Amino acid sequence: MIPASFDYRRAHDLDEATRWLGELGPEAKVLAGGHSLIPLMRLRLAQPSALVDIGRVPGLDTIRVDGDRLRIGALVRHAALARSEVVRRALPLLAEMAAEVGDQQVRARGTLGGVIAHADPAGDYPTLALMLDAEIVTTHGSHPARDFFQHLFTTPLQPDEVIREVTFPVAAGPHRYIKFRRRRCDWAIVGAAVQQSDGGWRLGLTNCGPTPMRARAAEAALAEGRTMAEAALQAAEGLTPPSDLRASSDYRRHLARVLTRRALEQAAA
Amino acid sequence: MAVTQLIGARIQRREDPRLVTGHGRFTDDRSPRGCCVLQVVRSPHPHARIRSIDTARAAAHPDVLRVLTAADFRSVLHGAMPVTPSFVAEKRQVPERFPIATEEVVYQGEPVAVVVARDRAAAVDAAEWVVVDYEPLPAVVDPIAALDPAGPRAHAGAPDNVCWDVTYTGGDVAGAFADAELVVHGRIVQQRLAPTPIEGRVVVAEHDPYDERMTIWLGSQNPHFIRLFVSQALQMAETQVRVVSRDVGGGFGSKISPYPEDYLVPAAAKLVGRPVKWVETRTEAMAGTTHGRGQVFEADVAVRRDGTLLGMRLTQTLDVGAYCGTFGAFQAVAVYMAPGAYRWRGVEGRTIGVLTNRVPTDPYRGAGRPEGTHLVERMVDLVARELGMDQAEVRRRNFVTAFPFTNPFGFVYDSGNYHGSLDLALAAVDYPSLRRRQAEGRAAGRYLGIGLSTYVEICGFGPSAPTAGATGGIALVEGAQVRVFPTGSVAVYVGTHAHGQGHDTTFAQIVADTLGVPMEQVELHHGDTDEGTGFGYGTYGSRSLSVGGMAVRGASLLVREKARRLAAHLLEAAEADVLVERGRFAVRGSPASSRSFQEVALAAYGANLPSGMEQGLEAVHYFDPANFVWPFGAHVCVVEVDPDTGQVTIERYVAVDDCGTVINPMIVEGQVQGGIAQGIAQALFEEVVYDPDSGQLRTGTLLDYLVPTMSELPVPECSRQVTPSPTNELGVKGVGEAGTIAASVAVINAICDALQPLGIRHVDMPASPDRLWQQLQEVRRP
């Protein structure tokens, strides 16, 4: 299939991108790695009037530690995250997630900013961003992750707003991400992420609702000194995961509990 | 059999350097000058009446040449698409199928109009502008529910949805059940599968009105059959239509039957007066390329308490789809193969073909034989379970041991050694220690399962007598032409078609050995109906070597005989004294006196010939086998099931296959590995899903239809036993489907074995984690 016709503009900097997006209106879309957008366009499920390509905007592919924050440019690709020594030291869970995104071709092209902006609850980075209170820094300001993932594919980003970078807290303690899937290159049927941070556990779940989810009841149980197995039983508290061809909602709730337990036990081991 | 250096040698596939470096010649690589693009407008409904089609806006697109509907095509296409008897001659109703819908659409994806445009973007855009006014009709979406007389009909106005309903009985079934000490029941669902070759279907057609010639390039497993069918529909002489199928990126059975586009593209080329190309998208392939399997089996097996199998009664309910596939009824062979590798007093099999509002089913790798094998191998395991016997022991007690063996339906298994292959496979896994490990694991809450599959399959179609009836007249023999040029170069034209099988290597090994020339001197040609013998029968049903290879061998022997007679003349020796040794013709007892193959080839075009011999060195041979061939083997799958998640991990997969004489062990291993991959894919991953309410296809892309990749598959440990076939001189059988036929049930038997202590009796496919978890939840419920 080939996409419906669209205009294409390549931005030289973010000011230009923002200006064009403002002129072109809400039917225009930002193109970065294109690994979510272009497949949708090929199926004509997305028919944007124009693409503003930010792929060659300089300065958006940097990774650095700034005090207690890890700052990652929006255009940093999965493969770069996976092999970055900086990420591996400052937030190894992110590097491990990046290494498991899609397949090699996807990892070579897809970007962190693209995944965040797409706000697919089956994406891995949104889970990490939510559970660790990441900040999404844009051309218009900054959004805390907890306010960012509003619903399925829905964020507060304005039509002319572009993500510059995402900042995560540095967290190098025990961690684990278990991505349950049928095929290696698939999205998670359910993903369970655990990270010890500031002495407590942060627990996140992928593909368990319309947004990434934080297993707060289980976090609280751990904070109260319950065992990991006991706490994990509460991982599905409040979840209403989707039912689809891969898994029923009940099975996803069950996986949320099992995978959270396993992730905790493996992280602690 | 000739004992030689090339037959049996591990020779790398000589077609691979070209293919893996991107130098293949696929259909889409061809764009005749002025070629335009065809886009098909397809029904979004599983069942609807077409009230009207408005093509005005699409036709007004500046880059659109024509928008065509059934009314236009009726002027150049005649008659209905073919349906062969295959294994069911007695069909009750066969809905007539025109390549494009006229008044009623009966499956989602059925063509209703085509747009021919200068480029693809215009064609795709304009196709969206064709407005079809549909009146949706109730759809038949389940083959079992389809049998309810009160339910909807797949075709409006039809008396019912039954395409066929036939019962075959072999042996003393009533007596077997009367003597039964136990009757074991099973119900097995064979989900629909999408064949998903890497290369989708592509058709390019060019019509030359001055020479009155139509050339059709497409990817086909049997281009001659396509020419036969399409030339008839176009009302052109067979000689006026040339079908060319060069490199093809996989078929797996899905490129045997003719498709609507095989007719619509050449017809459009004729109507538009320009070459036309159509390239299938993956989404179109999922909806419009024939599916495989789609069957539900109910079976009762009568046994004695000592594990002796007595009789079986089975019913196959086969989801035919909206039209009967050209070879759709082939899949009824599952009934004939349900006896498997075992002795029975009687077997009775009923096959019901059911029309539904889904794309037709047709052969898919194994085509009926995986289903028959799955059935009998599951039933044998259920028998073992109910009798508390070991699965291997029940098999050993009932194996056929004397050959030739006539099965209850009259099929004659040519040769076999079923105990031998099972013994080899069990030794390879160290079966006793595996069972010990299983027992220890269970005590520790780990669920290891061991699955056996001791299959036998029928392949190598011919012979002529039964297959002529099955195709409606054309006997499935095979032809080959061998031409030797004055320099000794050899060109071989075969009626089979290679689309991944490595014939270019295997056949060259046979020819080179027979003639005593280097392989490099032998060139293989296939896939062009303008070349070679008058008819080619194609590649499917693991027939290419045991029928086509034997035709190649036969034609080569004819050439060798003529060359030997000529050599005798040149050497002034008696014909009987001339020996052929490694490409030289020598006189018995005086090896110094000899002629090379090249010298004889040159002489064949000269003036010094024995009296009565004509110039030239070439021959045609058609091979008609005396029987089918009957490969067999034993596969063992070892799995571990995670009882918390339902996740299945294949720990080991051991395959012992016996396909008779092996020409090229590397190619055999490749076929077995690929076949096993597809069997595992069915067991664990793949399933075409239609929405049970709306009838809409839910697995329309490869995101939803899970084709496993290298990462999900084990590396099978393949080994062999060799029991030559008495059916042909080389002793060869077939191996293209064996892995698939054996594998799905090896995996499922292993899973059922693993979960037996948890109370699971049977698991259907695909054994997804979700499904296993649901089943475990049910048995855990108090």
Side-chain angles (χ1 to χ4, degrees):
Chain A
M1 198 51 163
I2 60 171
S5 89
F6 57 90
D7 285 335
Y8 171 86
R9 296 188 192 180
R10 180 186 291 160
H12 298 88
D13 55 49
L14 286 185
D15 286 347
E16 190 173 58
T18 306
R19 193 172 68 248
W20 284 343
L21 287 165
E23 289 165 18
L24 292 162
E27 294 305 306
K29 292 278 175 252
V30 177
L31 176 68
H35 270 59
S36 298
L37 181 57
I38 293 195
L40 291 171
M41 289 172 65
R42 282 167 53 84
L43 293 167
R44 297 201 168 188
L45 294 172
Q47 300 197 6
S49 61
L51 293 185
V52 174
D53 184 354
I54 61 165
R56 299 200 190 181
V57 170
L60 294 183
D61 59 352
T62 57
I63 299 172
R64 65 203 160 89
V65 173
D66 181 5
D68 61 354
R69 303 294 286 187
L70 171 66
R71 311 184 76 94
I72 300 170
L75 287 183
V76 172
R77 300 185 196 278
H78 309 301
L81 281 175
R83 64 170 179 257
S84 160
E85 276 307 317
V86 176
V87 178
R88 284 189 195 181
R89 276 196 304 271
L91 186 56
L93 183 52
L94 177 58
E96 288 162 24
M97 271 186 176
E100 296 290 320
V101 171
D103 55 28
Q104 210 158 17
Q105 289 93 323
V106 169
R107 291 194 292 274
R109 292 294 304 165
T111 65
L112 174 85
V115 172
I116 297 288
H118 190 49
D120 183 339
D124 306 305
Y125 305 144
T127 302
L128 188 65
L130 178 77
M131 65 188 256
L132 292 186
D133 290 317
E135 284 281 327
I136 291 99
V137 182
T138 74
T139 49
H140 291 39
S142 181
H143 304 274
R146 66 179 166 275
D147 298 334
F148 189 80
F149 303 104
Q150 296 176 332
H151 203 69
L152 208 59
F153 308 115
T154 309
T155 69
L157 288 173
Q158 297 300 307
D160 63 345
E161 187 174 1
V162 183
I163 297 175
R164 285 181 189 277
E165 63 175 6
V166 180
T167 80
F168 292 89
V170 168
H175 61 274
R176 182 82 172 100
Y177 184 50
I178 300 181
K179 187 172 178 177
F180 191 83
R181 58 206 150 155
R182 309 251 318 259
R183 294 182 299 185
R184 186 73 194 268
C185 61
D186 281 342
W187 283 293
I189 292 172
V190 168
V194 306
Q195 173 77 57
Q196 204 172 56
S197 176
D198 299 332
W201 287 101
R202 301 287 185 101
L203 311 178
L205 293 164
T206 303
N207 214 6
C208 278
T211 64
M213 306 300 285
R214 196 162 155 186
R216 286 188 183 274
E219 284 180 5
L222 286 167
E224 287 162 13
R226 313 286 287 277
T227 65
M228 288 176 171
E230 287 167 347
L233 286 176
Q234 297 185 47
E237 201 90 330
L239 296 186
T240 50
S243 280
D244 55 32
L245 287 176
R246 306 279 165 108
S248 64
S249 183
D250 281 349
Y251 181 55
R252 283 202 164 90
R253 289 171 54 84
H254 170 74
L255 281 181
R257 291 187 285 261
V258 171
L259 301 181
T260 299
R261 172 173 53 79
R262 290 182 180 178
L264 281 166
E265 288 168 356
Q266 290 171 22
Chain B
M1 197 202 112
V3 178
T4 57
Q5 58 196 117
L6 289 173
I7 289 179
R10 295 181 72 88
I11 293 172
Q12 290 196 345
R13 287 165 35 115
R14 57 184 199 165
E15 46 272 74
D16 281 351
R18 184 170 65 77
L19 291 170
V20 302
T21 57
H23 292 82
R25 293 163 300 166
F26 295 89
T27 309
D28 195 18
D29 292 326
R30 179 167 294 275
S31 287
R33 183 192 294 263
C35 191
C36 42
V37 174
L38 182 146
Q39 177 77 13
V40 182
V41 178
R42 297 176 187 278
S43 168
H45 299 286
H47 195 191
R49 188 167 291 118
I50 301 171
R51 287 206 195 94
S52 64
I53 303 173
D54 181 355
T55 60
R57 186 178 169 213
H61 189 293
D63 288 318
V64 166
L65 299 165
R66 283 287 290 278
V67 182
L68 302 165
T69 64
D72 304 293
F73 283 108
R74 293 255 176 215
S75 66
V76 280
L77 291 173
H78 305 274
M81 288 173 65
V83 177
T84 66
S86 294
F87 278 102
V88 184
E90 318 88 334
K91 296 192 183 70
R92 290 233 316 248
Q93 57 172 330
V94 177
E96 193 165 292
R97 184 182 194 185
F98 192 66
I100 186 163
T102 306
E103 288 163 354
E104 185 182 359
V105 287
V106 287
Y107 69 92
Q108 186 187 354
E110 184 169 15
V112 290
V114 307
V115 173
V116 183
R118 271 178 252 283
D119 60 60
R120 195 151 191 213
V124 174
D125 282 346
E128 290 190 342
W129 298 349
V130 173
V131 181
V132 185
D133 184 11
Y134 294 103
E135 175 193 342
L137 298 171
V140 179
V141 294
D142 177 80
I144 302 296
L147 292 169
D148 177 0
R153 304 285 187 266
H155 291 258
D160 55 29
N161 295 314
V162 179
C163 186
W164 69 76
D165 184 351
V166 185
T167 300
Y168 303 108
T169 305
D172 178 17
V173 182
F177 276 83
D179 289 352
E181 292 168 355
L182 179 72
V183 174
V184 177
H185 181 77
R187 182 177 195 273
I188 291 162
V189 178
Q190 289 276 342
Q191 75 273 34
R192 268 188 179 238
L193 299 177
T196 54
I198 284 181
E199 186 201 15
R201 291 183 296 117
V202 181
V203 185
V204 179
E206 182 171 24
H207 182 238
D208 182 337
Y210 302 101
D211 286 350
E212 269 301 314
R213 292 272 295 173
M214 177 72 78
T215 306
I216 305 167
W217 294 269
L218 47 61
S220 172
Q221 296 177 227
N222 52 354
H224 285 85
F225 269 104
I226 300 297
R227 173 168 75 166
L228 181 70
F229 297 138
V230 175
S231 65
Q232 284 172 347
L234 289 167
Q235 291 188 340
M236 295 174 76
E238 232 178 316
T239 49
Q240 290 175 301
V241 177
R242 176 185 176 202
V243 172
V244 185
S245 175
R246 297 281 192 208
D247 290 321
V248 175
F252 310 117
S254 72
K255 293 173 183 170
I256 300 172
S257 294
Y259 281 90
E261 295 83 2
D262 301 352
Y263 298 83
L264 298 177
V265 174
K270 209 168 175 179
L271 288 166
V272 174
R274 288 182 51 176
V276 172
K277 176 187 280 191
W278 169 74
V279 181
E280 182 184 60
T281 64
R282 187 59 68 181
T283 315
E284 285 179 297
M286 297 307 290
T289 289
T290 55
H291 293 158
R293 317 285 188 261
Q295 297 157 40
V296 179
F297 290 87
E298 299 271 355
D300 285 306
V301 170
V303 292
R304 282 211 197 94
R305 294 225 162 258
D306 64 0
T308 304
L309 302 172
L310 297 173
M312 174 160 37
R313 286 199 179 104
L314 70 120
T315 300
Q316 172 195 44
T317 307
L318 196 158
D319 177 358
V320 162
Y323 298 104
C324 188
T326 302
F327 297 97
F330 184 92
Q331 302 169 95
V333 74
V335 170
Y336 290 134
M337 289 310 293
Y342 312 104
R343 296 182 307 263
W344 302 84
R345 275 172 59 191
V347 177
E348 179 182 282
R350 179 183 179 193
T351 172
I352 311 172
V354 181
L355 295 160
T356 60
N357 291 112
R358 300 170 169 186
V359 76
T361 54
D362 224 25
Y364 167 60
R365 202 169 190 174
R369 291 157 286 156
E371 297 94 313
T373 300
H374 200 100
L375 175 78
V376 67
E377 293 299 296
R378 274 303 297 136
M379 293 311 296
V380 166
D381 265 31
L382 287 173
V383 166
R385 177 196 173 109
E386 301 212 359
L387 293 175
M389 290 177 68
D390 183 86
Q391 293 95 321
E393 182 48 35
V394 176
R395 286 174 168 79
R396 285 197 177 108
R397 190 172 287 263
N398 293 283
F399 271 151
V400 170
T401 51
F403 297 89
F405 170 81
T406 304
N407 96 352
F409 296 112
F411 289 89
V412 180
Y413 299 2
D414 60 352
S415 64
N417 176 4
Y418 303 159
H419 281 283
S421 50
L422 178 59
D423 290 346
L424 284 174
L426 294 182
V429 295
D430 191 357
Y431 190 60
S433 78
L434 206 50
R435 287 285 176 207
R436 274 198 301 280
R437 248 184 73 208
Q438 178 181 44
E440 289 159 16
R442 281 174 182 174
R446 296 191 63 171
Y447 296 90
L448 196 73
I450 305 155
L452 308 183
S453 172
T454 47
Y455 73 97
V456 56
E457 63 145 320
I458 174 174
C459 69
F461 304 90
S464 59
T467 56
T471 72
I474 300 251
L476 299 180
V477 297
E478 196 54 81
Q481 181 184 32
V482 173
R483 287 156 61 177
V484 182
F485 298 95
T487 53
S489 301
V490 183
V492 182
Y493 298 84
V494 292
T496 52
H497 187 285
H499 35 278
Q501 293 84 348
H503 296 169
D504 196 15
T505 305
T506 306
F507 288 175
Q509 287 177 254
I510 294 174
V511 175
D513 260 5
T514 307
L515 298 180
V517 299
M519 256 180 88
E520 296 70 35
Q521 213 165 307
V522 181
E523 206 177 278
L524 259 293
H525 296 266
H526 73 262
D528 185 341
T529 59
D530 265 8
E531 298 177 338
T533 56
F535 201 82
Y537 302 81
T539 286
Y540 38 81
S542 305
R543 68 184 303 276
S544 298
L545 179 59
S546 67
V547 190
M550 294 311 302
V552 166
R553 165 79 173 166
S556 304
L557 283 172
L558 290 174
V559 163
R560 191 176 82 184
E561 262 322 284
K562 180 171 180 183
R564 203 172 66 86
R565 281 196 288 128
L566 177 54
H569 172 74
L570 299 173
L571 292 163
E572 296 176 348
E575 263 176 49
D577 289 339
V578 175
L579 305 171
V580 192
E581 197 67 51
R582 301 201 172 212
R584 290 199 78 82
F585 297 88
V587 181
R588 194 191 306 269
S590 52
S593 179
S594 71
R595 289 285 188 280
S596 70
F597 184 79
Q598 274 84 349
E599 287 168 326
V600 178
L602 184 60
Y605 290 90
N608 180 18
L609 300 177
S611 83
M613 183 181 279
E614 295 173 1
Q615 271 78 6
L617 190 55
E618 50 194 315
V620 165
H621 179 69
Y622 279 80
F623 181 75
D624 180 3
N627 185 3
F628 307 97
V629 289
W630 301 84
F632 62 94
H635 288 206
V636 183
C637 180
V638 183
V639 302
E640 183 169 356
V641 184
D642 178 343
D644 283 345
T645 62
Q647 181 92 299
V648 174
T649 307
I650 297 180
E651 191 182 279
R652 260 187 106 175
Y653 195 104
V654 168
V656 176
D657 293 279
D658 191 327
C659 59
T661 306
V662 169
I663 307 294
N664 186 326
M666 282 176 94
I667 289 179
V668 167
E669 275 160 36
Q671 284 280 24
V672 171
Q673 288 181 0
I676 290 169
Q678 273 175 313
I680 294 173
Q682 176 174 17
L684 296 179
F685 296 96
E686 298 183 16
E687 180 175 29
V688 174
V689 179
Y690 286 88
D691 187 273
D693 299 317
S694 68
Q696 291 280 325
L697 179 65
R698 291 185 67 193
T699 46
T701 71
L702 292 182
L703 284 178
D704 298 313
Y705 186 84
L706 302 185
V707 179
T709 68
M710 290 281 289
S711 308
E712 288 77 52
L713 294 166
V715 177
E717 301 160 50
C718 300
S719 60
R720 262 188 316 281
Q721 179 184 259
V722 176
T723 308
S725 168
T727 307
N728 57 67
E729 177 215 352
L730 292 180
V732 296
K733 296 187 175 180
V735 76
E737 297 158 293
T740 310
I741 288 166
S744 69
V745 74
V747 177
I748 294 296
N749 276 346
I751 294 169
C752 295
D753 184 56
L755 297 179
Q756 175 168 358
L758 295 174
I760 301 276
R761 183 175 186 269
H762 176 72
V763 168
D764 270 320
M765 302 182 287
S768 64
D770 189 7
R771 167 176 270 158
L772 290 187
W773 178 75
Q774 300 281 4
Q775 271 189 254
L776 285 167
Q777 288 297 98
E778 280 158 28
V779 294
R780 279 167 182 155
R781 235 166 251 144

